[in-house]
Amino acid sequence: MVAQLVNDYEHKTIVSASTMEDALRSAQDNKVAKATEVGKLIAQRAKAAGITQCVFDRGGNMYHGRVAAVAEGAREGGLSL
């Protein structure tokens, strides 16, 4: 699972997080729990970059399972979607 905050006007990625990072990769959690942690991590990095709100683009995927978990994790981390 990968999450990115992208500036659509400048076509640049501001921050990103993934389950392939060492901290999450070694975790023994299930996929939904890891997706929640990705959401929390993206929120933490966004706040460090001065971003408090964004638009959640689910890329045509249904809003359930891991997609919903990323959004909920970001909200728990303090990011307004």
Side-chain angles (χ1 to χ4, degrees), residues 42-77:
I42 200 83
Q44 177 186 11
R45 292 177 181 174
K47 289 196 298 186
I51 298 169
T52 58
Q53 69 182 84
C54 65
V55 174
F56 186 72
D57 181 4
R58 52 192 171 80
N61 296 307
M62 294 180 67
Y63 187 84
H64 68 89
R66 288 182 275 168
V67 174
V70 170
E72 292 303 318
R75 286 187 187 105
E76 288 175 21

Side-chain angles (χ1 to χ4, degrees), residues 1-80:
M1 174 63 64
V2 176
Q4 298 179 347
L5 287 180
V6 178
N7 182 332
D8 285 336
Y9 298 110
E10 296 178 8
H11 306 289
K12 292 186 179 182
T13 300
I14 301 167
V15 295
S16 66
S18 170
T19 54
M20 296 304 290
E21 295 178 21
D22 290 336
L24 294 176
R25 190 173 195 174
S26 61
Q28 297 298 318
D29 296 333
N30 62 23
K31 293 177 183 179
V32 175
K34 285 184 180 182
T36 302
E37 291 302 316
V38 167
K40 290 178 183 177
L41 190 56
I42 200 83
Q44 177 186 11
R45 292 177 181 174
K47 289 196 298 186
I51 298 169
T52 58
Q53 69 182 84
C54 65
V55 174
F56 186 72
D57 181 4
R58 52 192 171 80
N61 296 307
M62 294 180 67
Y63 187 84
H64 68 89
R66 288 182 275 168
V67 174
V70 170
E72 292 303 318
R75 286 187 187 105
E76 288 175 21
L79 193 60
S80 175

